DNA sequence: CATCAAAGTAACTGTTTAGTTACTGGCCGG
DNA sequence: CCGGCCAGTAACTAAACAGTTACTTTGATG
């Protein structure tokens, strides 16, 4: 047994070095690589400008993973594809993020941090209650429009019943700010007599998010079955107006 | 070359029959099988009552595939898992449906036929315009509530930009009935002065569907980030009222 | 009751996959 | 200016995967 396994190891060594020679000698390097052209400098490493940059590599992996998970879901995403998109190697991915699941969780957390951070900059309480609500509706819609990968990640995470989001420790207190500010705006509107007394912050937010989310995330099947291209600018604009109209109509006194 | 391949074939034969002997002799049959206990009768096939039933097998595969695709998406679904759930064999799945993609398309088509068929039985034009709209909203919401697998399949299909639905020939004329009937109801309401002139059939349907779809399909992440269990009966009932309220408020004159 | 096509089975195959290992080479503190 | 550490690489592995093959069983038909 020891003999044959030693023989096998030697055979592997042979194969390995033969293949390497083949690669170097025949110039077979990276035929179908990613978009970036930064993969050539293998034979003369000195040509590269910056070779070791942990921060940049980490960020590239996170960005690539966001794309891959958004396009293919957790089940369909491929670790090799992420590494290639990031212009790096699978080993680095495991080095920085542990495994596929933890990488996915990082991507998801980053996406939530993104929208909640942008939301905070809104200050919906600064103008009249009606303008505040319509600002929130417009912001949410336009953020969804600009960040389809966020919607996609939400869909994937819900397919798995929030299996990974539940494990997140970073996200517990991230969302309370939104509901708090929204409640203040609604209260001011009720006192001013422009909003009905039953208007509820969570319901209002869910209404706004529903109308934006469904239109965008289901646009492909909807366009197909109803024979109307929902992604056309005119239809997009019309739906933006519909969202503001519906939201305000549902709480107006 | 011929010699060694004959040797290889003989080796395979040996392995194969050794393994079969091992399975039969040592009683290794189906340790971790599915829920059903109907897998034992392997050594004595005569014990089974009804062994050949194409219709039932086909239906079982379709049902099992619906569950598997809904739970795991197209990328995450496993062909072996579908066969096991159906209490049959992978070979049958390929026999009846060709391959994984065609099976998925059948599941998707069946799901759409389901909701559109139930919708036709509604006859929303039979009562007052307002009751018609509220009936449609209630029906849609309750159908979504009863058929989470439909919502899940929609999500999966949209993740892939309706790649398979677009190929479907069965579904082109299935959906026009809904918009036609809805338009008639809206027209009657406008003439009676209870609906605004700008009320549009597609917008109204999208509004109804949005509110139901988002709440249910995103309930897991929403419950997590807002710390309120959306699946609780009280919250479900409250949202049903919200849907009817919002829909009517958005078109009332 | 022999035949034969369709229904059904389980083992097999080539490929893809997440994750690992063994190695290389640049860079910073001494 | 050098030695060890760490970013980075590519080849490897075991398991899982979709799809196939070779074969057996069943029941309707002559």
């Amino acid at each position: 047994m020891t003999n044959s396994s030693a023989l096998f190891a030697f055979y592997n060594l042979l194969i390995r070095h033969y293949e390497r020679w083949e690669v170097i000698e025949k110039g077979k390097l990276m035929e179908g690589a990613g978009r970036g052209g930064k993969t050539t400098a293998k034979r003369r490493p000195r040509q590269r400008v910056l070779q070791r940059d942990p921060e940049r590599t980490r960020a590239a992996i996170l960005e690539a993973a966001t794309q891959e998970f958004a396009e293919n879901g957790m089940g369909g995403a491929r670790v090799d594809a992420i590494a290639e998109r990031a212009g790096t190697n699978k080993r680095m991915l495991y080095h920085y993020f542990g495994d596929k699941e933890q990488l996915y969780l990082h991507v998801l957390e980053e996406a939530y941090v993104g929208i909640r951070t942008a939301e905070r900059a809104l200050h919906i309480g600064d103008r009249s209650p009606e303008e505040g609500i319509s600002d929130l509706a417009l912001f949410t819609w336009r953020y969804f429009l600009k960040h389809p990968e966020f919607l996609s990640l939400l869909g994937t995470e819900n397919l798995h019943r929030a299996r990974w989001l539940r494990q997140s420790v970073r996200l517990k207190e991230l969302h309370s700010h939104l509901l708090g500010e929204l409640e203040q705006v609604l209260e001011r509107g009720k006192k001013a007599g422009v909003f009905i007394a039953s208007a509820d912050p969570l319901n209002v937010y869910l209404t706004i998010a529903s109308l934006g989310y469904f239109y965008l995330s289901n646009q492909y099947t909807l366009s197909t079955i109803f024979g109307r291209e929902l992604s056309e600018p005119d239809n997009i604009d019309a739906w933006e107006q519909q969202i503001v109209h519906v939201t305000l109509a549902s709480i107006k006194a």
Side-chain angles (χ1 to χ4, degrees), chain A:
Chain A
M1 283 300 263
T2 325
N3 262 343
S4 87
S5 98
L7 204 70
F8 183 66
F10 177 67
Y11 167 76
N12 270 341
L13 206 74
L14 257 178
I15 289 286
R16 196 162 168 181
H17 282 90
Y18 170 73
E19 279 173 357
R20 173 165 296 179
W21 168 82
E22 196 181 39
V23 167
I24 295 173
E25 200 70 12
K26 299 186 180 171
K28 278 190 182 178
L29 275 166
M30 295 269 149
E31 298 173 336
R35 302 144 294 181
K38 49 187 167 179
T39 41
T40 351
K42 197 90 296 142
R43 267 167 287 184
R44 289 178 175 77
R46 249 161 286 156
Q47 285 183 348
R48 273 209 193 167
V49 183
L50 197 57
Q51 269 182 323
R52 296 164 53 117
D53 190 340
E55 279 307 309
R56 198 170 55 98
T57 302
R58 217 189 112 97
I61 291 173
L62 211 55
E63 167 67 20
T66 303
Q67 295 300 319
E68 177 74 9
F69 282 125
E71 282 173 25
N72 302 103
M74 175 66 185
R78 299 288 160 245
V79 173
D80 292 278
I82 294 170
E84 196 182 313
R85 272 173 193 249
T88 179
N89 183 287
K90 243 195 316 188
R91 179 70 182 81
M92 289 296 93
L93 193 152
Y94 286 98
H95 183 251
Y96 287 115
F97 295 99
D99 63 5
K100 190 185 179 184
E101 302 202 2
Q102 279 178 269
L103 174 59
Y104 169 77
L105 181 56
H106 267 269
V107 165
L108 193 67
E109 286 178 338
E110 214 54 49
Y112 266 114
V113 168
I115 187 170
R116 293 288 107 94
T117 303
E119 233 164 38
R120 268 172 196 258
L122 252 188
H123 300 297
I124 57 175
D126 287 358
R127 300 161 76 193
S128 78
E130 282 161 302
E131 283 171 328
I133 298 299
S134 115
D135 279 357
L136 178 62
L138 284 175
F139 164 80
T140 303
W141 164 250
R142 288 172 184 167
Y143 191 90
F144 285 1
L145 205 52
K146 264 193 198 162
H147 297 274
E149 79 284 353
F150 176 65
L151 301 185
S152 196
L153 290 170
L154 280 195
T156 289
E157 182 61 7
N158 276 291
L159 180 70
H160 299 287
R161 311 198 168 197
R163 180 174 157 191
W164 289 282
L165 189 68
R166 265 195 250 269
Q167 296 169 18
S168 170
V169 275
R170 288 173 62 194
L171 289 173
K172 294 294 168 186
E173 68 272 23
L174 193 63
H175 308 274
S176 50
H177 176 264
L178 167 67
L179 287 188
E181 204 167 1
L182 185 49
E183 177 151 40
Q184 286 176 12
V185 173
L186 289 178
E187 282 308 317
R188 279 209 295 133
K190 288 174 192 176
K191 273 180 190 144
V194 291
F195 292 159
I196 57 177
S198 62
D200 170 74
L202 185 59
N203 277 358
V204 170
Y205 181 72
L206 290 181
T207 302
I208 291 172
S210 294
L211 295 167
Y213 182 90
F214 181 74
Y215 186 99
L216 292 173
S217 89
N218 288 33
Q219 61 178 299
Y220 307 101
T221 54
L222 290 170
S223 295
T224 303
I225 67 178
F226 290 128
R228 205 182 301 189
E229 201 50 61
L230 297 196
S231 59
E232 274 182 14
D234 285 354
N235 290 329
I236 298 262
D237 288 346
W239 191 248
E240 177 174 296
Q241 287 184 16
Q242 172 79 355
I243 291 178
V244 175
H245 165 69
V246 170
T247 306
L248 286 178
S250 73
I251 54 171
K252 254 186 189 155

